[in-house]
Amino acid sequence: MKKKVFEFRHDSWLNESTYQLLEKHDVGFCIAETEDMKPVLNVTGGLPYFRLRKDVYTASDVERWTEKIREIVKGSKEAYVYLRHDETGENALYALGMREKLSG
């Protein structure tokens, strides 16, 4: 069965009513980080889903996220983590390293 996930890009959606509604309908909440929005570390619908969308991530940023994600996904059957594409391909390398650390 395919899961649905919502990513909200306005603070007005980030409230308990939204999370309860998503949970009621077994829908995932996208934990997103952008230049303008801080991530809300909330999982609904039993599906941890992350979109790391800032323009630039450093190795230490990715390491901090890896540790946060490890804690959040503990006990989950699956999780999705996306790093924003970049011109250099560095985020793809970060993503591979993150996958290795999380699956090991």
Side-chain angles (χ1 to χ4, degrees):
M1 176 180 192
K2 290 184 181 180
K3 284 278 209 170
K4 293 173 180 60
V5 176
F6 280 86
E7 178 181 357
F8 298 102
R9 298 216 185 156
H10 192 273
D11 288 336
S12 64
W13 288 99
L14 306 177
N15 60 63
E16 197 57 38
S17 295
T18 299
Y19 310 138
Q20 288 175 1
L21 188 62
L22 292 173
E23 191 66 46
K24 177 182 175 182
H25 293 282
D26 197 31
V27 173
F29 170 76
C30 177
I31 298 170
E33 178 180 49
T34 68
E35 302 298 330
D36 299 327
M37 290 183 72
K38 300 287 183 215
V40 174
L41 304 178
N42 192 355
V43 175
T44 63
L47 182 63
Y49 190 101
F50 303 83
R51 290 185 61 93
L52 308 180
R53 303 170 56 86
K54 287 175 64 175
D55 288 336
V56 176
Y57 285 95
T58 65
S60 61
D61 293 334
V62 174
E63 187 61 36
R64 278 191 300 276
W65 265 109
T66 301
E67 292 309 311
K68 283 182 196 177
I69 291 166
R70 183 187 322 279
E71 285 299 312
I72 292 169
V73 304
K74 209 176 275 185
S76 299
K77 292 180 185 178
E78 61 184 342
Y80 295 88
V81 181
Y82 298 92
L83 279 156
R84 179 185 172 137
H85 69 278
D86 64 332
E87 299 299 318
T88 67
E90 188 171 39
N91 282 350
L93 295 174
Y94 285 148
L96 289 171
M98 184 182 277
R99 182 178 71 178
E100 185 178 306
K101 289 176 183 175
L102 291 171
S103 63

